[in-house]
mmCIF file of all heavy atoms in Angstrom:
data_model
loop_
_atom_site.group_PDB
_atom_site.id
_atom_site.type_symbol
_atom_site.label_atom_id
_atom_site.label_comp_id
_atom_site.label_asym_id
_atom_site.label_seq_id
_atom_site.Cartn_x
_atom_site.Cartn_y
_atom_site.Cartn_z
ATOM 1 N N THR A 31 43.159 16.139 -81.210
ATOM 2 C CA THR A 31 44.058 16.635 -82.265
ATOM 3 C C THR A 31 43.274 17.498 -83.259
ATOM 4 O O THR A 31 43.804 18.470 -83.783
ATOM 5 C CB THR A 31 44.768 15.473 -83.008
ATOM 6 O OG1 THR A 31 43.848 14.395 -83.162
ATOM 7 C CG2 THR A 31 45.993 15.021 -82.264
ATOM 8 N N GLY A 32 41.991 17.156 -83.483
ATOM 9 C CA GLY A 32 41.166 17.978 -84.382
ATOM 10 C C GLY A 32 41.056 19.403 -83.853
ATOM 11 O O GLY A 32 41.245 20.374 -84.595
ATOM 12 N N ASP A 33 40.772 19.557 -82.545
ATOM 13 C CA ASP A 33 40.665 20.905 -81.947
ATOM 14 C C ASP A 33 42.001 21.642 -82.046
ATOM 15 O O ASP A 33 42.044 22.834 -82.353
ATOM 16 C CB ASP A 33 40.287 20.816 -80.452
ATOM 17 C CG ASP A 33 38.807 20.509 -80.248
ATOM 18 O OD1 ASP A 33 38.041 20.531 -81.232
ATOM 19 O OD2 ASP A 33 38.423 20.235 -79.082
ATOM 20 N N LEU A 35 44.406 21.182 -84.220
ATOM 21 C CA LEU A 35 44.695 21.556 -85.613
ATOM 22 C C LEU A 35 43.808 22.713 -86.064
ATOM 23 O O LEU A 35 44.262 23.617 -86.772
ATOM 24 C CB LEU A 35 44.491 20.346 -86.535
ATOM 25 C CG LEU A 35 45.523 19.228 -86.395
ATOM 26 C CD1 LEU A 35 45.056 17.953 -87.107
ATOM 27 C CD2 LEU A 35 46.878 19.665 -86.969
ATOM 28 N N ARG A 36 42.532 22.712 -85.626
ATOM 29 C CA ARG A 36 41.647 23.828 -86.001
ATOM 30 C C ARG A 36 42.159 25.135 -85.395
ATOM 31 O O ARG A 36 42.153 26.177 -86.040
ATOM 32 C CB ARG A 36 40.204 23.566 -85.533
ATOM 33 C CG ARG A 36 39.398 22.743 -86.531
ATOM 34 C CD ARG A 36 37.953 22.574 -86.110
ATOM 35 N NE ARG A 36 37.795 21.711 -84.961
ATOM 36 C CZ ARG A 36 37.839 20.373 -85.011
ATOM 37 N NH1 ARG A 36 37.984 19.765 -86.161
ATOM 38 N NH2 ARG A 36 37.700 19.647 -83.919
ATOM 39 N N ALA A 52 44.372 19.306 -96.138
ATOM 40 C CA ALA A 52 43.913 17.954 -95.794
ATOM 41 C C ALA A 52 42.632 18.032 -94.968
ATOM 42 O O ALA A 52 41.668 17.297 -95.219
ATOM 43 C CB ALA A 52 44.996 17.211 -95.014
ATOM 44 N N MET A 53 42.594 18.951 -94.007
ATOM 45 C CA MET A 53 41.412 19.043 -93.134
ATOM 46 C C MET A 53 40.175 19.429 -93.926
ATOM 47 O O MET A 53 39.096 18.879 -93.731
ATOM 48 C CB MET A 53 41.651 20.067 -92.030
ATOM 49 C CG MET A 53 42.685 19.625 -91.033
ATOM 50 S SD MET A 53 43.053 20.913 -89.855
ATOM 51 C CE MET A 53 41.625 20.778 -88.781
ATOM 52 N N GLY A 56 38.828 16.515 -95.908
ATOM 53 C CA GLY A 56 38.467 15.289 -95.180
ATOM 54 C C GLY A 56 39.536 14.218 -95.207
ATOM 55 O O GLY A 56 39.281 13.060 -94.893
ATOM 56 N N GLN A 57 40.769 14.610 -95.599
ATOM 57 C CA GLN A 57 41.891 13.648 -95.578
ATOM 58 C C GLN A 57 42.608 13.759 -94.235
ATOM 59 O O GLN A 57 42.410 14.736 -93.504
ATOM 60 C CB GLN A 57 42.936 14.008 -96.655
ATOM 61 C CG GLN A 57 42.395 14.378 -98.001
ATOM 62 C CD GLN A 57 41.939 13.174 -98.773
ATOM 63 O OE1 GLN A 57 42.674 12.196 -98.853
ATOM 64 N NE2 GLN A 57 40.733 13.224 -99.306
ATOM 65 N N LEU A 58 43.496 12.813 -93.979
ATOM 66 C CA LEU A 58 44.281 12.900 -92.753
ATOM 67 C C LEU A 58 45.480 13.824 -92.951
ATOM 68 O O LEU A 58 46.096 13.849 -94.018
ATOM 69 C CB LEU A 58 44.783 11.513 -92.322
ATOM 70 C CG LEU A 58 43.724 10.502 -91.897
ATOM 71 C CD1 LEU A 58 44.395 9.249 -91.341
ATOM 72 C CD2 LEU A 58 42.765 11.081 -90.865
ATOM 73 N N VAL A 59 45.807 14.554 -91.899
ATOM 74 C CA VAL A 59 47.015 15.372 -91.859
ATOM 75 C C VAL A 59 48.186 14.397 -91.667
ATOM 76 O O VAL A 59 47.996 13.282 -91.162
ATOM 77 C CB VAL A 59 46.866 16.356 -90.666
ATOM 78 C CG1 VAL A 59 48.142 17.099 -90.377
ATOM 79 C CG2 VAL A 59 45.696 17.312 -90.927
ATOM 80 N N VAL A 64 50.873 15.442 -86.567
ATOM 81 C CA VAL A 64 50.058 15.129 -85.381
ATOM 82 C C VAL A 64 50.875 14.475 -84.266
ATOM 83 O O VAL A 64 50.656 14.756 -83.090
ATOM 84 C CB VAL A 64 48.797 14.283 -85.707
ATOM 85 C CG1 VAL A 64 47.755 15.112 -86.407
ATOM 86 C CG2 VAL A 64 49.112 13.065 -86.502
ATOM 87 N N GLY A 85 40.591 11.400 -81.117
ATOM 88 C CA GLY A 85 40.948 11.627 -82.529
ATOM 89 C C GLY A 85 42.407 11.314 -82.824
ATOM 90 O O GLY A 85 42.902 11.624 -83.904
ATOM 91 N N PHE A 86 43.096 10.730 -81.898
ATOM 92 C CA PHE A 86 44.494 10.307 -82.068
ATOM 93 C C PHE A 86 44.684 9.039 -81.254
ATOM 94 O O PHE A 86 44.210 8.997 -80.105
ATOM 95 C CB PHE A 86 45.451 11.397 -81.568
ATOM 96 C CG PHE A 86 46.910 11.003 -81.685
ATOM 97 C CD1 PHE A 86 47.640 11.348 -82.816
ATOM 98 C CD2 PHE A 86 47.538 10.281 -80.677
ATOM 99 C CE1 PHE A 86 48.977 10.972 -82.932
ATOM 100 C CE2 PHE A 86 48.869 9.898 -80.800
ATOM 101 C CZ PHE A 86 49.578 10.254 -81.927
ATOM 102 N N PRO A 87 45.360 8.005 -81.748
ATOM 103 C CA PRO A 87 45.958 7.886 -83.083
ATOM 104 C C PRO A 87 44.924 7.518 -84.159
ATOM 105 O O PRO A 87 43.878 6.961 -83.861
ATOM 106 C CB PRO A 87 46.955 6.751 -82.890
ATOM 107 C CG PRO A 87 46.361 5.908 -81.797
ATOM 108 C CD PRO A 87 45.631 6.842 -80.897
ATOM 109 N N ARG A 88 45.267 7.824 -85.390
ATOM 110 C CA ARG A 88 44.381 7.527 -86.512
ATOM 111 C C ARG A 88 45.057 6.671 -87.578
ATOM 112 O O ARG A 88 44.418 6.366 -88.595
ATOM 113 C CB ARG A 88 43.928 8.828 -87.166
ATOM 114 C CG ARG A 88 42.556 9.334 -86.688
ATOM 115 C CD ARG A 88 42.382 10.707 -87.287
ATOM 116 N NE ARG A 88 41.076 11.145 -87.579
ATOM 117 C CZ ARG A 88 40.427 12.068 -86.845
ATOM 118 N NH1 ARG A 88 40.926 12.511 -85.726
ATOM 119 N NH2 ARG A 88 39.267 12.525 -87.251
ATOM 120 N N GLN A 92 50.900 6.263 -86.214
ATOM 121 C CA GLN A 92 50.642 7.132 -85.043
ATOM 122 C C GLN A 92 50.551 6.295 -83.767
ATOM 123 O O GLN A 92 51.043 6.690 -82.708
ATOM 124 C CB GLN A 92 49.348 7.928 -85.225
ATOM 125 C CG GLN A 92 49.429 9.001 -86.314
ATOM 126 C CD GLN A 92 48.107 9.719 -86.542
ATOM 127 O OE1 GLN A 92 47.238 9.765 -85.669
ATOM 128 N NE2 GLN A 92 47.939 10.298 -87.716
ATOM 129 N N ARG A 161 31.414 23.369 -87.674
ATOM 130 C CA ARG A 161 32.638 23.105 -88.423
ATOM 131 C C ARG A 161 32.377 23.071 -89.924
ATOM 132 O O ARG A 161 31.421 22.436 -90.362
ATOM 133 C CB ARG A 161 33.221 21.751 -87.984
ATOM 134 C CG ARG A 161 33.867 21.811 -86.633
ATOM 135 C CD ARG A 161 34.206 20.459 -86.111
ATOM 136 N NE ARG A 161 34.866 19.579 -87.074
ATOM 137 C CZ ARG A 161 35.318 18.373 -86.766
ATOM 138 N NH1 ARG A 161 35.173 17.918 -85.527
ATOM 139 N NH2 ARG A 161 35.894 17.630 -87.675
ATOM 140 N N ASP A 163 33.911 21.371 -92.086
ATOM 141 C CA ASP A 163 34.059 20.016 -92.652
ATOM 142 C C ASP A 163 32.924 19.081 -92.222
ATOM 143 O O ASP A 163 32.915 17.911 -92.570
ATOM 144 C CB ASP A 163 35.433 19.401 -92.301
ATOM 145 C CG ASP A 163 35.672 19.263 -90.794
ATOM 146 O OD1 ASP A 163 34.963 19.912 -90.008
ATOM 147 O OD2 ASP A 163 36.576 18.493 -90.421
ATOM 148 N N ARG A 172 35.898 11.657 -94.931
ATOM 149 C CA ARG A 172 36.401 11.374 -93.581
ATOM 150 C C ARG A 172 36.100 9.928 -93.185
ATOM 151 O O ARG A 172 36.899 9.261 -92.540
ATOM 152 C CB ARG A 172 35.800 12.379 -92.585
ATOM 153 C CG ARG A 172 36.408 13.773 -92.762
ATOM 154 C CD ARG A 172 35.563 14.863 -92.153
ATOM 155 N NE ARG A 172 35.432 14.767 -90.729
ATOM 156 C CZ ARG A 172 34.489 15.402 -90.017
ATOM 157 N NH1 ARG A 172 33.593 16.161 -90.636
ATOM 158 N NH2 ARG A 172 34.450 15.279 -88.727
HETATM 159 P P1 AMP B 301 38.337 15.649 -85.874
HETATM 160 O O1 AMP B 301 37.970 16.921 -85.158
HETATM 161 O O2 AMP B 301 38.953 14.643 -84.951
HETATM 162 O O3 AMP B 301 37.208 15.093 -86.682
HETATM 163 O O4 AMP B 301 39.497 16.036 -86.904
HETATM 164 C C1 AMP B 301 39.269 16.978 -87.947
HETATM 165 C C2 AMP B 301 40.314 16.820 -89.033
HETATM 166 O O5 AMP B 301 41.628 17.064 -88.483
HETATM 167 C C3 AMP B 301 40.411 15.422 -89.637
HETATM 168 O O6 AMP B 301 39.468 15.216 -90.677
HETATM 169 C C4 AMP B 301 41.852 15.405 -90.135
HETATM 170 O O7 AMP B 301 41.999 16.150 -91.329
HETATM 171 C C5 AMP B 301 42.585 16.163 -89.033
HETATM 172 N N1 AMP B 301 43.045 15.264 -87.945
HETATM 173 C C6 AMP B 301 42.636 15.258 -86.640
HETATM 174 N N2 AMP B 301 43.281 14.321 -85.935
HETATM 175 C C7 AMP B 301 44.126 13.705 -86.796
HETATM 176 C C8 AMP B 301 45.051 12.633 -86.692
HETATM 177 N N3 AMP B 301 45.260 11.990 -85.526
HETATM 178 N N4 AMP B 301 45.749 12.272 -87.809
HETATM 179 C C9 AMP B 301 45.576 12.903 -88.984
HETATM 180 N N5 AMP B 301 44.697 13.903 -89.165
HETATM 181 C C10 AMP B 301 43.976 14.312 -88.086
#
Side-chain angles (χ1 to χ4, degrees):
T31 38
D33 283 351
L35 290 167
R36 274 184 290 281
M53 291 174 78
Q57 316 284 312
L58 294 187
V59 170
V64 287
F86 179 93
R88 264 172 150 106
Q92 291 176 23
R161 286 170 46 176
D163 60 343
R172 288 161 64 197

